Amino acid sequence: MPGIEDEVLEVSDLDVHYGVGRRRHRALSGVSLQVRSGETLGLIGETGSGKSTLARTVLGLVRASGGRVRIGGEDVTGYSQRQWRSFRRRGVVQYVFQDPLRSLDPDLTVQESLLEPLLLRGDPRASALEAVREQFARVNLDEHLLPRRPAELSGGQRQRVAVARALVVEPALIILDEPVSALDAANRVQILQIIKNLRDAGTALVFISHDLGSVAGVADRIAVLYQGELVESGSTAEVLRTPQHAYTRLLLGSVPTLHAPPATRAERQALRAQLNGEPV
Ligand SMILES: Nc1ncnc2c1ncn2[C@@H]1O[C@H](COP(=O)(O)OP(=O)(O)OP(=O)(O)O)[C@@H](O)[C@H]1O
Ligand SMILES: [Mg+2]
């Protein structure tokens, strides 16, 4: 059994609320999960289930109301803004936002954007420039894009630049929030290939998606969020073969190529009703 030192990410009993007073609502409830070094975790769930909230809380962008987060063995729960800034600067964990425009500063050129995390970390400019060029090639981007600003890129290029920026510091953990959802088929295949290469290179990954199909080919393990709770987690093969939760079965029903027999329309309707608490 791997020891605790192998955990790149450990989330324990996490609660997150948004809003105050009567508008306070719970986005995550008692969520626990681990990602070991070199492992890819697929985090799936329908829209509003709390996937981005979980990612943002791990990055210290949203404050938890309960529970604990450890990254690379370091307990970051309760870090102040200043502690977070210095922790993020070290580049242990990187987050690629769901909207790639949010990962990139609109005023910086692509080259400046990629250089920034390296220079902040204290790398000398010459080696930082070299690392940027190498990274660019690795995500299949041409160097003629380096002087451009985010607004002058296509959606697919922007997503690849955002991924390149996350990779350039060689973090121990990368969280990719819906990295392929907004892309066309060709760009999707390219990004999935980059994710596979990363996984093969031993980087720990959290791959967030509402689409079980794109996660299944990449993830070692799958965790399923449903209305802010983790309703299922296990090895990808286990989850696909013997899904435990009705919501996971519903997801599987929409992935016809997997081993589980596809749910019929009537079965899916019954599951939906069950999930919504209606009498079947
Ligand atoms: N800043 C915020 N303030 C208040 N409520 C929020 C905020 N961000 C998210 N929420 C709410 O928290 C819940 C979880 O949202 P979250 O963005 O984490 O879902 P998600 O699983 O990432 O969805 P999607 O697949 O659409 O990206 C939703 O009900 C959402 O409306
Ligand atoms: Mg989201």
Side-chain angles (χ1 to χ4, degrees):
M1 278 300 278
I4 189 85
E5 66 275 10
D6 289 323
E7 309 282 10
V8 178
L9 174 67
E10 194 184 1
V11 172
S12 323
D13 216 11
L14 199 67
D15 287 324
V16 175
H17 290 83
Y18 285 116
V20 286
R22 282 184 34 222
R23 297 182 58 177
R24 184 172 157 92
H25 62 277
R26 200 165 60 177
L28 290 177
S29 177
V31 171
S32 298
L33 54 84
Q34 297 84 33
V35 182
R36 300 203 183 105
S37 90
E39 183 178 60
T40 297
L41 174 74
L43 180 64
I44 56 173
E46 65 187 355
T47 179
S49 57
K51 306 179 298 293
S52 296
T53 299
L54 181 56
R56 289 201 297 260
T57 312
V58 165
L59 271 290
L61 304 170
V62 170
R63 190 164 274 280
S65 41
R68 245 182 33 172
V69 176
R70 290 170 71 90
I71 302 172
E74 187 167 334
D75 195 334
V76 296
T77 326
Y79 266 10
S80 66
Q81 296 283 352
R82 224 182 86 214
Q83 285 171 306
W84 266 115
R85 270 198 300 278
S86 105
F87 181 75
R88 283 197 211 105
R89 210 167 272 184
R90 278 163 42 206
V92 179
V93 55
Q94 292 289 308
Y95 179 39
V96 180
F97 283 84
Q98 186 161 1
D99 171 7
L101 276 177
R102 283 191 66 191
S103 296
L104 301 169
D105 186 330
D107 297 327
L108 297 185
T109 65
V110 169
Q111 172 160 309
E112 286 162 345
S113 242
L114 266 79
L115 277 175
E116 188 184 55
L118 294 165
L119 299 179
L120 275 174
R121 190 175 68 174
D123 289 16
R125 195 177 167 84
S127 74
L129 265 170
E130 198 176 316
V132 166
R133 295 235 160 81
E134 268 174 34
Q135 195 52 63
F136 230 56
R138 244 179 274 160
V139 297
N140 264 330
L141 282 167
D142 196 281
E143 285 191 12
H144 78 271
L145 298 177
L146 284 169
R148 298 218 192 150
R149 283 173 221 286
E152 299 158 340
L153 301 171
S154 76
Q157 289 168 338
R158 220 177 270 150
Q159 185 64 292
R160 263 178 285 161
V161 169
V163 171
R165 186 181 194 274
L167 300 185
V168 77
V169 289
E170 298 182 6
L173 173 69
I174 303 181
I175 303 179
L176 297 151
D177 199 346
E178 303 270 7
V180 295
S181 305
L183 304 177
D184 66 14
N187 274 307
R188 188 173 297 188
V189 168
Q190 288 218 19
I191 292 279
L192 284 172
Q193 191 53 52
I194 293 166
I195 294 173
K196 280 184 188 146
N197 294 346
L198 270 175
R199 184 199 58 187
D200 296 345
T203 309
L205 293 168
V206 177
F207 178 0
I208 297 177
S209 178
H210 58 265
D211 170 29
L212 181 56
S214 35
V215 167
V218 186
D220 302 299
R221 281 193 308 125
I222 287 181
V224 183
L225 267 180
Y226 183 70
Q227 296 183 351
E229 290 182 34
L230 205 76
V231 292
E232 177 135 4
S233 109
S235 76
T236 302
E238 242 166 49
V239 171
L240 296 184
R241 211 173 303 129
T242 47
Q244 299 298 306
H245 193 267
Y247 175 65
T248 318
R249 289 200 288 275
L250 186 72
L251 283 176
L252 278 169
S254 53
V255 186
T257 53
L258 301 172
H259 339 283
T264 63
R265 190 150 172 245
E267 266 178 320
R268 281 205 296 276
Q269 273 168 354
L271 277 171
R272 272 263 174 236
Q274 208 180 318
L275 289 165
N276 293 329
E278 296 161 14
V280 183

